[in-house]
Amino acid sequence: MVRQSGGFAPLALKCLHVLQNEGLGGFRRRLLVLRRNVPDDRSEHNREAPSRPPGIAPADVPKALANAQRWCSDESPEVSILIINWNATQLTLECVRQIWANTEGVFYEIIIVDNGSDPRDIVPLRSLGSGARLVELGINRFFGEANNIAAEHARGKYLCFVNNDAFVQPGWLRTLVEAIEDVPAVGAVGPMFLFPDNTLQEAGCTVDENGYPTRLGRHLNPADSEFNVAKFVDYISAATMLVEKRLFINAGGFDLAYEPAYYEDIDLCFKLLAMGRRTRYCPAAKVIHIEGSSANDSKAAQDRRKALGDLNRDKFVDRWQVYLKTRSEDAISQPKTCGPRPRNDAVLPLEDIQRERVAVYTSFALTPGGGERYILTLAAALSNKRQVSIVTPHPYSHLRLRNLGREFGVDLSQCDLMTYETLVRNPRPDFMFTLGNHIVPPVPAYATNSWYLCQFPFGLDAGELERRRDTLAGYRGVNVYSDYTKKHVLRLLKEHQLPSIPVDVMYPPVPHVQGDASRKKNIILTVGRFFVGGHSKRQDLMIAAFRSVIKNFDGDVEFHLAGSSMPEPLHMAFIDDLKQMAHRLPVKFHINPTTRALAELYRDAAVYWHATGLHSNIEREPEKAEHFGISIVEAMSAACVPFAFNGGGPREIISNGVDGFLYDTTEQLVEQTMGLLGDRNIDRRIQLGNAAGIAAERYKVGRFVSTVRRLVDDVDKQQS
C-alpha cells in the first residue's frame, strides 16, 4: 500500500513508472548512479573531487529517474550530448546526474568517450541505462579527436559538447535548441557559464587581433542586464556548445593542428563563420563550470596549459590573421567541406567484399608526417578500383582521415577506417601493407599478398625480436624508402638469421612546389616535425648555426622553422626550449602550417637546411641519420638550394656542389651557406636552385602511384 502523506505517493508512482518502462536492470543502474554520493577518490589517477553543486537530493531522485526515462533515449534522439572522460569517472557521473535531473523537453542521448582511462576506473560508466553509451578508445586521443569520434557515433541532429566538469541547470538544453533554431544564420550556441559560487565565468567570448581571448563578464554579477541579452560573439567555449552535426562534419570538426588541447573550439567557430554561420551566446541557458577539473588539474598541469595555449594561439593567428586584423567578410575564406562520413568501424557489407580489399596497417599516430604521407598516398592510389581500409590499433575519426587527405593533397574519399581488432574479425583482405620501424613487422600478415613497409629497422630488444620472429614469414617482401634503409635491412636480416625475403626500394611520394630561383628572398628554411629522440630533426643545432651566420654575415637574413607538433609533454617542451634559444634572433616559427602557407615558405626561401644526423655517430647509431628526406625534395622542387648532413638518405638525393650541398660539421654548414647569401652570389644560387628543381623530378607523386599500382596489378596477373 502506498502511503499518501508528505507527497510521497506521486514520487513513488514515478519510480514505478520508470521500473515498468525500463525493466529492473535499467531502473537499478540509473538509481545507483543517482543515489551514489561522490566520494573522495583516492586512486592514483584522480585527485579529490573539486567543489561542485550538491548531488541529487534523495527526494529528487524519482523525478530525475522519470526525466531520464522520458527524455534520455536510444530511439531518434534530437541531440547527442558528448562527454570526454579520462581517469575522472566520479566527475563524469556527477555530470551525467545533473543532465538527467535538469533536462526536459528534448529527446537526447549521452555518448561518453573514454580516452584510455585505467580500466578499473571506468567500470561504472559501462552500465548507465538506456540512452547512454560508452565508447572506449583504449588510448588518449585528446579533446578534439575524441569529440570527433564521438560526433561520428552520434545519432542526433545536433551535437552538444559538454565537459565532464560542466554541470547543467534546469531547462538548459531546450533553451539552446530553441536558440539555434530561431535564427537560421546561427552555427553554434552556448550558455552563460557560472562559477560554483554563482559569479559569472563567461558570457560569450571575443578574440583580439593577436589571438588573445576575452571571456565577457568574468567574475561579475550574472544578474547585470548587459549579460542577459542574447547576442553574437566570436566564440563559445566547448565546455558546453551546441552545433548542428551536419555543419560540424562539413567544417572538418575539431582540427588536429591544436592537439592536445586549446583553441580548437575558437577555430571551429571561425570555420563556421567562414561557412556563413555565426556563434550565439544564449544567457537563458546556464551551466556551472569548474575550470580545469576535467584535466585533473595541478600546478604542473596549469603551467603546461599556459605553454599549450601560447603555442596554439600562434597557430590560430597564423591561420586567421587577416580576418582578425580587418574583420572583413572577404578575409575569411570558405573551408573545403569533408562531405559525408563513411560507415562506422564494423563488419563490411557483402557488396564491398565482392571488390578486392586492401588493408593498410600503421601503429603510428595519424599526424602530418612523412610516414603518414607514404601510407595514405599508397592507400589513395589503390582505392581507384579496390576497397581500401586504413587500419590502426585504436580508433580514429573519419574526419581526421579526410583532413589528412586535404593536408597531403590526396583523395581518401574512397578509403575506410577500421581497427586491427575489426580487421581480424572480417574475411581476410586480398592485399595488406604494414608500416613499421623494426626489422620484423608489428603484426602478422593477414592477407595472402602482404608487404612490409619498413621505414627503418630501429633497435628491438632480443625478447621482443624472438616473439615477433615468425611475423616476417607471411610477407612477400619488404619495401623501403631508400638504398640507405635497404642496406641496413639486409644487414639485420642476415645478422638475426631471419628468413630471406626480397627487399626493394620504393621512394616516397613528394609533392612539388613550383618555385622561381631568381625571385628568392634572403630566407633560410627548415621543415620537419618537432620532436626529441630517434632521428630528431635537430632544430636546436640549426638555431645555434644560424646564430653564427648572423654574427658573420653583413646583411639581413631570416631563419624560418616549420613543422608539425607532437602532443606529448616532452616534445611540447622542446618547442618552448627552441623559442628561448631563438630569442632576439630573426627567427620565425610556423607550427602546423597549412599546405598553402608551407608552399609560400618554400617559394620564398633561398636556402634549405636539414640537420638530422648531425652530431651523431651514425656508424654506431644508423637510425639517427635521415632515412630519406621528403622535405629536402619538397624544397628542391621549389628551387631552394638544399644543405643536408652528409649521411643517410640525403646522399641519394643531393649531388654535392651540383644541386645542393652535403656537410659534415656545423662550421661547414655556416661557411657554405654564407657563400650563397647576398647579392654577389645570386648567379651561383640561381644555378644551384634550378639544378635542384630538375633533380627533384625523380620523386614526383605520380611515379610513386604508378609503382604501387603496378606492384599489386602484377600479383593479380600472376594469380589469374
Side-chain angles (χ1 to χ4, degrees):
M1 183 173 179
V2 177
R3 189 174 51 168
Q4 299 293 320
S5 62
F8 181 76
L11 298 180
L13 289 173
K14 285 183 179 180
C15 283
L16 290 173
H17 179 68
V18 175
L19 179 60
Q20 290 169 352
N21 281 272
E22 290 211 13
L24 183 59
F27 175 80
R28 281 177 171 171
R29 284 193 294 271
R30 279 188 168 146
L31 184 61
L32 283 172
V33 172
L34 285 165
R35 294 186 63 182
R36 186 185 290 119
N37 291 323
V38 183
D40 291 348
D41 188 345
R42 303 184 186 278
S43 77
E44 61 180 337
H45 298 284
N46 285 304
R47 301 173 300 100
E48 184 174 335
S51 173
R52 58 168 62 89
I56 307 302
D60 293 331
V61 167
K63 180 184 177 183
L65 277 170
N67 278 351
Q69 190 274 331
R70 174 73 176 88
W71 301 109
C72 182
S73 173
D74 294 319
E75 297 182 9
S76 302
E78 185 176 3
V79 178
S80 298
I81 298 173
L82 313 181
I83 304 171
I84 308 304
N85 179 72
W86 183 58
N87 290 319
T89 290
Q90 297 303 328
L91 196 63
T92 300
L93 287 173
E94 181 64 25
C95 177
V96 170
R97 281 191 278 270
Q98 299 291 338
I99 291 171
W100 281 347
N102 295 315
T103 309
E104 301 178 73
V106 179
F107 292 105
Y108 67 93
E109 64 175 349
I110 298 173
I111 300 174
I112 300 170
V113 172
D114 183 75
N115 260 337
S117 300
D118 185 315
R120 296 167 298 178
D121 185 62
I122 58 175
V123 171
L125 299 178
R126 291 180 176 143
S127 302
L128 293 179
S130 175
R133 287 181 283 148
L134 177 67
V135 178
E136 299 181 47
L137 301 185
I139 196 170
N140 194 344
R141 289 285 183 240
F142 308 109
F143 177 85
E145 177 63 2
N147 270 308
N148 288 345
I149 293 170
E152 292 184 350
H153 281 80
R155 302 188 183 103
K157 176 183 179 182
Y158 297 105
L159 306 175
C160 189
F161 307 103
V162 177
N163 274 16
N164 62 353
D165 60 355
F167 305 115
V168 301
Q169 302 303 292
W172 71 287
L173 187 56
R174 183 177 64 251
T175 302
L176 290 179
V177 171
E178 290 172 352
I180 206 169
E181 291 182 340
D182 285 349
V183 183
V186 171
V189 297
M192 174 188 286
F193 289 101
L194 302 169
F195 286 107
D197 64 0
N198 281 322
T199 58
L200 188 56
Q201 184 181 105
E202 176 186 313
C205 305
T206 60
V207 186
D208 68 18
E209 67 177 57
N210 297 311
Y212 288 98
T214 297
R215 298 184 180 184
L216 302 176
R218 195 166 179 81
H219 296 297
L220 298 179
N221 186 348
D224 288 353
S225 59
E226 64 178 304
F227 305 127
N228 283 276
V229 178
K231 59 185 175 182
F232 292 121
V233 292
D234 282 341
Y235 82 96
I236 288 288
S237 169
T240 304
M241 175 196 287
L242 185 77
V243 62
E244 188 179 350
K245 179 181 176 180
R246 177 184 60 85
L247 282 177
F248 181 79
I249 297 295
N250 284 343
F254 290 118
D255 199 299
L256 61 88
Y258 299 99
E259 288 182 347
Y262 306 112
Y263 273 83
E264 59 271 273
D265 48 1
I266 311 179
D267 182 75
L268 173 65
C269 290
F270 274 56
K271 289 192 292 186
L272 293 174
L273 183 61
M275 299 170 70
R277 299 298 190 95
R278 303 179 70 181
T279 299
R280 191 182 187 197
Y281 162 63
C282 180
K286 293 180 173 57
V287 171
I288 295 175
H289 181 215
I290 305 170
E291 291 180 314
S293 299
S294 59
N296 295 332
D297 207 5
S298 66
K299 178 61 167 61
Q302 291 173 7
D303 292 342
R304 184 172 178 234
R305 283 207 305 275
K306 183 182 183 305
L308 285 172
D310 291 342
L311 176 63
N312 283 354
R313 184 181 68 253
D314 291 342
K315 299 177 189 176
F316 175 79
V317 171
D318 191 51
R319 177 174 293 183
W320 300 103
Q321 56 186 314
V322 176
Y323 176 73
L324 288 171
K325 289 179 180 178
T326 65
R327 294 290 171 162
S328 166
E329 291 184 5
D330 296 334
I332 193 161
S333 60
Q334 174 85 11
K336 296 178 182 177
T337 63
C338 286
R341 72 176 177 88
R343 58 188 160 271
N344 282 328
D345 179 7
V347 176
L348 294 173
L350 182 61
E351 62 267 24
D352 287 333
I353 297 176
Q354 306 309 312
R355 301 173 66 195
E356 283 190 321
R357 293 174 51 230
V358 181
V360 181
Y361 176 83
T362 175
S363 60
F364 305 107
L366 290 181
T367 57
E372 290 68 45
R373 182 186 293 280
Y374 195 91
I375 60 166
L376 294 181
T377 306
L378 180 148
L382 295 177
S383 69
N384 66 325
K385 61 180 182 180
R386 295 175 174 88
Q387 173 63 44
V388 178
S389 296
I390 313 298
V391 184
T392 56
H394 303 285
Y396 275 106
S397 70
H398 294 89
L399 281 170
R400 192 182 192 91
L401 188 63
R402 298 297 176 265
N403 290 338
L404 282 170
R406 288 206 309 275
E407 183 80 20
F408 294 141
V410 296
D411 181 8
L412 297 170
S413 61
Q414 300 304 307
C415 297
D416 200 3
L417 272 171
M418 67 170 61
T419 62
Y420 185 74
E421 180 183 358
T422 301
L423 174 70
V424 298
R425 289 204 314 264
N426 277 282
R428 290 179 180 271
D430 301 281
F431 303 96
M432 180 174 178
F433 292 87
T434 299
L435 187 70
N437 265 359
H438 301 290
I439 191 59
V440 288
V443 294
Y446 192 64
T448 304
N449 303 295
S450 299
W451 290 269
Y452 177 36
L453 309 175
C454 182
Q455 297 189 103
F456 194 85
F458 285 82
L460 194 63
D461 71 75
E464 184 64 18
L465 175 63
E466 200 57 37
R467 282 189 292 273
R468 286 162 51 180
R469 172 177 292 273
D470 294 338
T471 60
L472 190 61
Y475 288 85
R476 293 179 64 98
V478 179
N479 292 98
V480 295
Y481 290 0
S482 62
D483 284 318
Y484 178 72
T485 303
K486 178 178 179 178
K487 179 181 76 171
H488 288 286
V489 168
L490 290 172
R491 174 180 62 83
L492 288 174
L493 287 173
K494 182 177 180 180
E495 186 178 305
H496 294 298
Q497 299 180 339
L498 290 162
S500 177
I501 186 172
V503 181
D504 297 304
V505 176
M506 191 160 66
Y507 285 120
V510 183
H512 280 45
V513 179
Q514 196 66 36
D516 186 341
S518 67
R519 300 173 66 87
K520 295 290 188 175
K521 301 177 183 178
N522 252 19
I523 290 176
I524 300 170
L525 172 66
T526 187
V527 178
R529 206 178 301 190
F530 293 94
F531 69 97
V532 293
H535 62 302
S536 168
K537 305 307 176 185
R538 298 314 307 259
Q539 290 95 340
D540 54 338
L541 298 181
M542 287 186 280
I543 291 174
F546 181 67
R547 189 179 294 276
S548 295
V549 170
I550 290 295
K551 287 180 180 178
N552 296 289
F553 179 66
D554 185 18
D556 294 331
V557 61
E558 295 178 351
F559 184 31
H560 291 243
L561 298 92
S564 60
S565 59
M566 305 286 284
E568 291 75 20
L570 178 66
H571 306 310
M572 288 291 182
F574 179 57
I575 294 176
D576 191 50
D577 291 342
L578 293 175
K579 289 185 175 181
Q580 292 184 36
M581 287 182 63
H583 185 56
R584 296 184 182 277
L585 293 175
V587 172
K588 297 184 179 180
F589 288 84
H590 307 269
I591 312 296
N592 294 89
T594 63
T595 303
R596 180 183 299 178
L598 187 57
E600 288 301 315
L601 288 171
Y602 280 131
R603 291 190 184 100
D604 287 342
V607 171
Y608 180 83
W609 277 4
H610 202 79
T612 304
L614 184 59
H615 288 194
S616 298
N617 185 336
I618 62 172
E619 293 300 320
R620 188 170 63 240
E621 298 178 293
E623 68 276 4
K624 290 192 174 180
E626 185 60 72
H627 311 144
F628 175 69
I630 289 177
S631 62
I632 298 173
V633 179
E634 284 182 320
M636 292 171 70
S637 75
C640 298
V641 180
F643 290 76
F645 175 68
N646 186 19
R651 287 177 173 174
E652 301 167 43
I653 299 170
I654 298 171
S655 297
N656 192 38
V658 176
D659 49 33
F661 295 93
L662 298 167
Y663 63 89
D664 294 295
T665 65
T666 302
E667 291 73 22
Q668 286 182 0
L669 171 62
V670 172
E671 181 182 353
Q672 292 172 342
T673 299
M674 290 181 61
L676 285 186
L677 296 175
D679 293 340
R680 65 181 179 180
N681 300 311
I682 192 168
D683 290 340
R684 174 67 169 151
R685 198 170 71 205
I686 291 173
Q687 177 189 1
L688 287 164
N690 287 332
I694 294 170
E697 294 291 316
R698 293 173 289 175
Y699 308 103
K700 279 194 167 181
V701 174
R703 181 172 294 187
F704 175 83
V705 169
S706 297
T707 301
V708 169
R709 288 175 176 171
R710 186 167 57 250
L711 179 69
V712 174
D713 289 343
D714 286 349
V715 172
D716 268 344
K717 291 175 183 176
Q718 294 168 12
Q719 297 178 349
S720 61

